[in-house]
Amino acid sequence: MNFELYQRVALNRDLPEYELKKGDVATLIDFVPHPANNEEGCVLEVFSATGESIAVVIVPISDIKLLRKDEVLSVRSLVEIY
């Protein structure tokens, strides 16, 4: 897949350590090489529904997917993680 900086993406899996769920939307803010030349990583910033930054996480690139035109965003409660 061709990911671009600053595009919105969705998580492919839960990240319980950050209380994030599969399907949560984030902004891709950077790419990071794996130190042992394995899968490339990406830095994501997650925002609340009102636009406040609530988390910055690094995940393997396989943990994200592009958003599609036929998908709908939803809102859920989040326990404070910051």
Side-chain angles (χ1 to χ4, degrees):
M1 284 185 206
N2 291 329
F3 294 105
E4 296 179 16
L5 291 179
Y6 308 112
Q7 78 181 131
R8 292 188 303 172
V9 297
L11 292 174
N12 274 334
R13 70 175 178 94
D14 291 349
L15 298 176
E17 63 273 27
Y18 299 104
E19 297 188 31
L20 299 173
K21 302 274 186 192
K22 180 178 179 177
D24 284 350
V25 175
T27 301
L28 175 59
I29 59 172
D30 204 0
F31 295 100
V32 290
H34 190 281
N37 291 327
N38 290 329
E39 183 178 9
E40 183 177 29
C42 54
V43 181
L44 306 176
E45 187 166 10
V46 182
F47 295 90
S48 71
T50 59
E52 296 177 61
S53 179
I54 56 173
V56 175
V57 300
I58 300 173
V59 297
I61 204 157
S62 62
D63 283 355
I64 62 172
K65 70 178 197 99
L66 296 173
L67 299 179
R68 300 185 330 241
K69 289 193 277 187
D70 65 338
E71 294 176 316
V72 176
L73 299 177
S74 66
V75 177
R76 67 178 180 84
S77 293
L78 178 70
V79 176
E80 277 194 17
I81 60 173
Y82 50 93

